[in-house]
Structure formats: C-alpha cells, structure tokens
Amino acid sequence: RSAASASRISVMSVKVRTIMDEKMGGYLNMVVMIEDNIKSPEILQNMEKLQNEIEKHDEVSLSFSIADVVKQMHRSIEDDNPLYETIPESQEKVNNLFTVYSISSDEDDFSTIVNEDYSKGLINVRLKSVSTEVANNIVKKTEKEISNIFSESTKATLKTYCLRALGYGVIDINVSDDQVDDRLDEALQYFAQY
C-alpha cells in the first residue's frame, strides 16, 4: 500500500470519527448496571448523581437512564413545568408516575434500561472518540464514583434496617447516632476483611 493511500485512509478515519462524534454523540458506549430497587427515590437520585459525575468528563457526550425518564414523567404530570423535572422525594409519587405511564403507554418502553421487576437498571453512556487509555480512566473514575455515591446510601439503608430490627425507640434513648455509626463502620470493616 502506498503512502498516499495510507494517508487517504487515515484522513477518512478522522472524518468518520468526527461525523460519529458530531452527529451521533460518539461511537463508544459504557454501560453501568445498578442492582437495587430501581423505583426507590434514593436509588434514582443516586443514579442521577452518578450521571452528573460521569458527564463532567469532556469525552462524555451524553448519558441516559430510568432516572431521566422519571424526571421527564414528573415534569409532564406537572403541566410541563421545568421546576418539576426532578426525582420525586416519596416512593408513593414515584409509584404513581409508573402507574400513570402504564395506563397510557407500554411499560415495555423501558425494557432497554430496566429489567421487568425493576431490580436492575442501566445507565447508558456515550463517549466521543477517545483512546483506550482515556476510556479506561473514565471507567476507573466511574467505579470510584459508584462506590462513593452508592456506599453511603447502602450504609444508611443498613443503619435504618438495624435500628428498626433492634427496636428504634430503645436504641434512640440509650445510644447516640455517633455510636451507631461507629459500630456499623466497625462491622463493615470486619466484614470486608473476612
């Protein structure tokens, strides 16, 4: 192959990548799976936080998840008021959004971003043309963000469960929040070691 033909191929490759980035938002996909109660307001808010962190990378052109759908449904229910493009705070409101949607549309519309029982949800991320090294760095940073964002909610859920199971009234009178947090941290560290 001549230097001229190699040069034309290289130029065409650059043009194709440019078109893919500009017209299609990139050509690399990253998918993050969240396994939890996807209809939970807390989990949806955490998905939104994670997407916001991911989108801070210049190489990310867009992300999309069920959290985006819930925010859009909430806005639509509230007369298309942009102030309501949020995740509702209560489980009841989130459930109502899905109920209204199921009456007027097909819940299978969500099949590419959640499973049937809403125990797994996907965050789809589109990356611009980047090197493998840059893509790997984004993946590593995303993994750290997942740990930061979702570990706190998991710990809070565990704490609530423990307090309920042990009798919150008695614990509230006799034990401070700091003591509960310290015991949970110790238990989680012990569990992580073994």
Side-chain angles (χ1 to χ4, degrees):
R1 182 164 61 169
S2 71
S5 77
S7 175
R8 278 193 300 266
I9 291 171
S10 177
V11 169
M12 284 192 60
S13 177
V14 169
K15 285 181 181 178
V16 168
R17 280 188 298 216
T18 302
I19 291 169
M20 294 289 287
D21 285 347
E22 291 175 0
K23 304 289 183 195
M24 300 179 72
Y27 69 94
L28 293 175
N29 288 322
M30 178 174 76
V31 179
V32 178
M33 183 177 10
I34 307 298
E35 294 187 61
D36 209 316
N37 174 11
I38 300 301
K39 287 186 178 180
S40 159
E42 183 180 17
I43 297 302
L44 290 165
Q45 289 164 357
N46 286 342
M47 290 175 81
E48 179 184 30
K49 285 180 199 172
L50 181 58
Q51 284 180 253
N52 290 338
E53 289 301 316
I54 290 170
E55 289 177 0
K56 288 180 182 177
H57 297 282
D58 292 335
E59 301 85 2
V60 172
S61 52
L62 63 99
S63 69
F64 183 75
S65 75
I66 192 69
D68 297 304
V69 174
V70 169
K71 291 183 337 188
Q72 196 58 49
M73 288 191 300
H74 192 207
R75 177 180 172 158
S76 295
I77 284 284
E78 299 293 340
D79 295 323
D80 207 31
N81 184 337
L83 294 175
Y84 289 96
E85 195 165 336
T86 60
I87 307 288
E89 294 291 323
S90 78
Q91 183 68 59
E92 182 180 1
K93 286 184 180 181
V94 172
N95 289 342
N96 288 343
L97 291 175
F98 282 104
T99 300
V100 168
Y101 190 89
S102 70
I103 292 168
S104 62
S105 300
D106 186 3
E107 276 195 83
D108 284 343
D109 293 347
F110 306 141
S111 64
T112 60
I113 52 178
V114 292
N115 66 345
E116 196 173 290
D117 67 354
Y118 291 86
S119 63
K120 295 178 185 170
L122 301 179
I123 299 173
N124 293 294
V125 180
R126 183 66 65 110
L127 301 173
K128 298 175 185 170
S129 302
V130 295
S131 68
T132 304
E133 181 182 353
V134 171
N136 285 335
N137 285 337
I138 292 171
V139 169
K140 286 177 186 173
K141 288 177 183 175
T142 299
E143 288 170 344
K144 285 181 185 176
E145 287 302 326
I146 290 169
S147 295
N148 292 338
I149 292 169
F150 284 91
S151 68
E152 282 306 309
S153 69
T154 303
K155 182 180 173 187
T157 302
L158 176 62
K159 180 179 176 181
T160 302
Y161 169 78
C162 290
L163 289 172
R164 262 196 337 265
L166 295 171
Y168 184 77
V170 174
I171 301 254
D172 193 35
I173 293 169
N174 297 316
V175 181
S176 75
D177 263 354
D178 288 339
Q179 289 173 308
V180 173
D181 285 336
D182 289 347
R183 297 302 77 77
L184 275 174
D185 286 340
E186 289 170 3
L188 291 171
Q189 286 173 357
Y190 178 82
F191 181 75
Q193 290 174 353
Y194 301 98

